[in-house]
Structure formats: C-alpha cells, structure tokens
C-alpha cells in the first residue's frame, strides 16, 4: 500500500501538486498554472512586438502623457503679470451705436466731413479678480504687438476692479470736458469758467500757499492784475511768464479776496505752471455731446478735440484720409503722454490708418516700433495737431512735419 499510495500520489491523485510524495526533494508548484502564464506572456510579447510596441515605447508614452498633463496644469496657473494688446479703434467722426459719437446741439452750424479720425485704445488683461495664466503670458512674450510686464505696471494692486473702473470712467469724462473746452478755445470761442483749486502739487510754489476750495479770481505777473474769466485767461498769462517768476494769484477764500504770492514752475516750453490741480465749471457757448461706451481713461482727449473742430469748421480736416492718434489734452490745449503707445500704433495700422499723431512726450517709446506703412507725427499741442492735419489734407510735405526721434 505504501508503495502503491506513493505511486498514485506521484502520478497525480492529488492534482494540485507534483512530487509531494517525496518530501524535501522537489519544490511544490501549481500544476499547469506556471505554464499557462508563461504561454500568455509569450503570446503578449509576440503580439506587441508584431505591432512595434516595446517596453521602452510604453515607458516613453506614459512619461510624455504625464509631462503634457503637468505642462497643461502649469499653463493654467495664475501668474502675477499683466498684458497689453492692441485694442479697437473708434472713429470720432462716426457713430457710437446709432448716434453720432460727437453731436453738436442747438443752432450752431455743423459741416459734413469724410475720412476718419481714429482714437486708439489698448486692451489690458490681468486686473484684480482676472489674473492671467501662464499660457497667456507666453503668447504675449511671443507676440510682436503685445507687452507683458509685472501687474503693478498696469494696475494699482491695492484697488479693486470696481475702483479701477470708476477711476477710468471719471478720467474719460474729464478728457471729454477738456477736449470740448480746448477745441472751442482753439476755434476762437470764449468759454467762461469758474476755476477752483482742489489741491497743490507737492514741492511746487503753490504747496502750502493755496488751499482746497480757493476760487481763482485774477493773476498778476507784475504787469497788473488780469481777471480770470476763462481758463485761457489764466493760461495766456502763465505762457508768457518765465519759470521761476513770482506771480500774485488772487483767490476768493471764505468769501474774501486773498492775494497769494506763488513762485512758478517750468512748463517745459519756456512758460510757467502754478502747480495746482483745478476743477472747472464751464458755461459752454456751444453744446457738444460726446457719446462713447465701454472705453475709459484720458488718452482720447486729443482725438475728441480734433473731431469737434472738424464738425464745427467747413471742409475736411482729414482730407479724406484715415488718421489715428492718441494723447491727453489739457484745458489749455496741451497734448500729454499716454500708456500703450506701441500697441495703439499697431492697432491703428491694422485698422487702415496711414498717419498717426503721437504725443511728443512718448517719442522715446515710438522710435523703433513704428509699423510698416504708418507715418508718425509728433505733437505737443492741439494747435500743432490741427496744423499737421491741414498739411495732410492739402497734400503737403508730410516729411517736413515734426517726427519722433530719440532724445
């Protein structure tokens, strides 16, 4: 029996084990299991090999997918950068919605015109609550018409988006007011005004001398007092006064007239500035309404003023050309610097402009970045801007007009 039993055992009476009848001489293993796995493995390897799939290829594929997923996540991570790109242009001689962008009300005659006077804009992304992702920043770096910079370059990080929007809207309102006064003054109208001091620039002759709420009544540069009934009255005296002179500013304070000696500053053109911030109440001899939505900031002032002048004068100030431009404008008709000049030039050229009016204070940013086919004319006053348009309209020598050069 023992021999027969061992023989039966060894021949497979116990089907799960092989050789267990002789303990300690052969290792136990499942019958057929190892053979089956080995066969499947051989078959799988043969099949993958037939398709050109190797373990190395599998490893590389998994690594590539993981890397792509990681890069995708990185591209969507917010970064502390802002981006400026060319924005839309708007024809100040055209319409905003279904109404003229610049509309003259009342009985004042207006005149038909052609051509376009394009105000230019920039689109700025990355403001509070709307951060940029890495992908947008990379696209901005690769674009010749976009600018990427730390977010503080474009926005005050302490302000909310609502506060930024409100400030931008107020700047637009002020630019329209300044443009109207400057344009009407350029056309020879008197624009009566009440000018109230709302602050003084630190370090100027007015700092610590004027007070908020002072109403300017007159100014004396040594040749006798000149009543200030319009902004132009004040500006004309200061323009003729050498910087560093002492003028007497007569203001109404607490119901009484007070004389304030002020040492003037330099306006950069041989004239003087008081160093005060003014708020004006104007009695317009011509009612002008500017209607523009969804655009803020002060930089459209010059183009608004030119549009008003074209509406109120016979002929075509553009000569039928497409002319773009930018620049703030003061009550006295001074053209000031703006941001995003390179993006604005690119946007103007994309929209068909052949000429561009640029503030002279921006010329360092203009040189070397003028798009092909665009002629840039430097200007520092509304009067210079009008003169430049007349040359263009008359087919004159545009090359003789002021151009931007490095200072």
């Amino acid at each position: 029996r023992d021999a027969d039993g061992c023989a039966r055992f060894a021949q497979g009476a116990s089907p799960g084990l092989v050789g267990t009848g002789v303990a300690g001489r052969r290792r136990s293993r499942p019958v057929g299991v190892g053979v089956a796995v080995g066969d499947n493995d051989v078959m799988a390897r043969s099949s993958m090999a037939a398709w050109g799939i190797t373990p190395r290829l599998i490893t590389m594929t998994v690594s590539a997918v993981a890397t792509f997923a990681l890069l995708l996540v990185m591209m969507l991570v917010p970064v502390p950068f802002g981006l400026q790109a060319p924005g839309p242009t708007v024809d100040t001689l055209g319409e905003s919605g279904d109404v003229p962008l610049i509309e003259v009300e009342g009985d004042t005659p207006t005149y038909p015109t052609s051509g376009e006077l394009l105000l230019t804009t920039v689109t700025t992304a990355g403001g509070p609550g709307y951060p940029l992702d890495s992908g947008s920043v990379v696209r901005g770096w690769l674009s010749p018409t976009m600018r990427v910079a730390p977010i503080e370059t474009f926005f005050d990080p302490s302000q909310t988006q609502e506060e930024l929007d409100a400030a931008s809207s107020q700047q637009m309102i002020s630019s329209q007011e300044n443009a109207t006064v400057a344009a009407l003054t350029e056309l020879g109208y008197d624009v009566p005004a009440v000018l109230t001091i709302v602050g003084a620039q630190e370090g100027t002759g007015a700092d610590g001398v004027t007070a908020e709420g002072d109403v300017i009544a007159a100014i004396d540069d040594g040749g006798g007092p000149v009543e200030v009934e319009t902004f132009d009255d004040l500006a004309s005296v200061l323009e003729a006064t050498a910087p560093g002179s002492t003028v007497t500013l007569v203001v109404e304070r607490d119901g009484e007239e007070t004389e304030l000696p002020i040492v003037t500053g330099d306006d950069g053109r041989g004239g003087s500035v008081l160093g005060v911030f003014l708020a004006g109440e104007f009695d317009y001899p011509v009612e002008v309404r500017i209607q523009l939505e969804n655009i803020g900031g002060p930089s459209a002032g010059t183009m608004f003023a030119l549009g008003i002048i074209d509406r109120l004068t016979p002929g075509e100030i553009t000569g039928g050309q497409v002319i773009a431009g930018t620049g703030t404008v003061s009550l006295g008709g001074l053209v000031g610097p703006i941001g995003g000049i390179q993006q604005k030039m690119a946007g103007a050229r994309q929209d068909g402009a052949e000429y561009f009016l640029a503030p002279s204070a921006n010329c360092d940013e203009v040189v070397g970045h003028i798009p092909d086919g665009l002629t840039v004319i430097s200007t520092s006053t509304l009067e210079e801007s009008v003169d430049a348009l007349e040359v263009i309209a008359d087919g004159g020598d545009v090359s003789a007009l002021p151009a931007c050069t490095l200072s």
Side-chain angles (χ1 to χ4, degrees):
R1 277 181 199 173
D2 289 343
D4 292 340
C6 286
R8 288 195 299 269
F9 200 77
Q11 291 173 8
S14 178
L17 298 175
V18 175
T20 53
V22 185
R25 295 188 180 182
R26 298 183 66 180
R27 291 186 302 167
S28 300
R29 66 171 182 168
V31 175
V33 173
V35 174
V37 172
D39 290 346
N40 289 339
D41 186 52
V42 170
M43 292 174 63
R45 290 176 181 273
S46 299
S47 178
M48 288 190 296
W51 286 95
I53 301 175
T54 64
R56 181 180 181 185
L57 178 61
I58 295 174
T59 301
M60 292 176 63
T61 301
V62 172
S63 299
V65 171
T67 301
F68 176 78
L70 180 60
L71 287 175
L72 183 62
V73 171
M74 291 177 61
M75 294 295 274
L76 298 176
V77 172
V79 291
F81 287 93
L83 181 149
Q84 278 189 337
T89 62
V90 181
D91 182 13
T92 60
L93 302 178
E95 293 186 344
S96 176
D98 296 327
V99 297
L101 191 148
I102 296 175
E103 190 171 15
V104 178
E105 300 179 337
D107 298 329
T108 303
T110 58
Y111 302 90
T113 186
S114 67
E116 298 179 25
L117 285 173
L118 302 179
L119 66 84
T120 51
T121 67
V122 294
T123 299
T124 305
Y130 301 93
L132 285 182
D133 56 48
S134 301
S136 298
V137 171
V138 171
R139 287 193 297 273
W141 278 329
L142 296 176
S143 171
T145 62
M146 295 184 184
R147 179 191 179 200
V148 175
I151 191 66
E152 296 82 5
T153 306
F154 306 121
F155 303 101
D156 181 349
S158 67
Q159 290 187 304
T160 65
Q161 188 63 49
E162 290 73 19
E163 290 172 334
L164 291 171
D165 290 343
S168 181
S169 296
Q170 184 57 50
Q171 289 174 333
M172 171 59 75
I173 293 171
S174 296
S175 76
Q176 294 175 1
E177 186 175 76
N178 288 2
T180 302
V181 173
L184 294 179
T185 302
E186 178 69 21
L187 292 172
Y189 289 96
D190 288 331
V191 184
V194 176
L195 303 175
T196 302
I197 296 174
V198 295
Q201 187 174 356
E202 186 177 354
T204 65
D207 188 17
V209 177
T210 61
E212 184 177 351
D214 286 347
V215 177
I216 297 177
I219 185 171
D220 187 352
D221 64 351
V226 175
E227 289 189 26
V228 176
E229 297 179 343
T230 70
F231 181 84
D232 192 50
D233 293 334
L234 178 64
S236 295
V237 172
L238 291 173
E239 185 178 355
T241 301
S245 302
T246 299
V247 299
T248 300
L249 193 67
V250 182
V251 302
E252 293 181 5
R253 180 184 295 179
D254 299 328
E256 297 181 357
E257 284 196 352
T258 302
E259 295 184 354
L260 306 175
I262 296 177
V263 178
T264 63
D266 191 347
D267 69 355
R269 296 172 302 278
S272 287
V273 294
L274 291 175
V276 297
F277 301 106
L278 298 175
E281 296 180 14
F282 302 98
D283 183 10
Y284 298 107
V286 177
E287 289 298 323
V288 177
R289 178 183 297 179
I290 300 175
Q291 302 171 94
L292 182 62
E293 297 181 352
N294 302 322
I295 294 178
S299 66
T302 297
M303 301 310 290
F304 283 146
L306 292 172
I308 294 170
I309 291 172
D310 200 10
R311 288 285 185 196
L312 293 173
T313 53
E316 300 173 339
I317 198 173
T318 65
Q321 303 287 337
V322 179
I323 302 169
T326 188
T328 64
V329 70
S330 71
L331 294 170
L334 301 179
V335 175
I338 49 79
I341 185 75
Q342 295 172 14
Q343 288 70 43
K344 290 180 177 180
M345 290 190 297
R349 188 67 189 113
Q350 289 172 7
D351 287 355
E354 296 182 3
Y355 302 96
F356 190 95
L357 298 176
S360 57
N362 284 117
C363 274
D364 286 351
E365 302 171 73
V366 169
V367 175
H369 298 91
I370 301 175
D372 292 340
L374 190 68
T375 299
V376 176
I377 300 159
S378 171
T379 179
S380 59
T381 68
L382 182 58
E383 182 180 7
E384 290 178 1
S385 301
V386 173
D387 290 343
L389 294 188
E390 290 177 349
V391 172
I392 295 171
D394 294 340
D397 185 4
V398 177
S399 65
L401 294 172
C404 279
T405 57
L406 289 176
S407 58

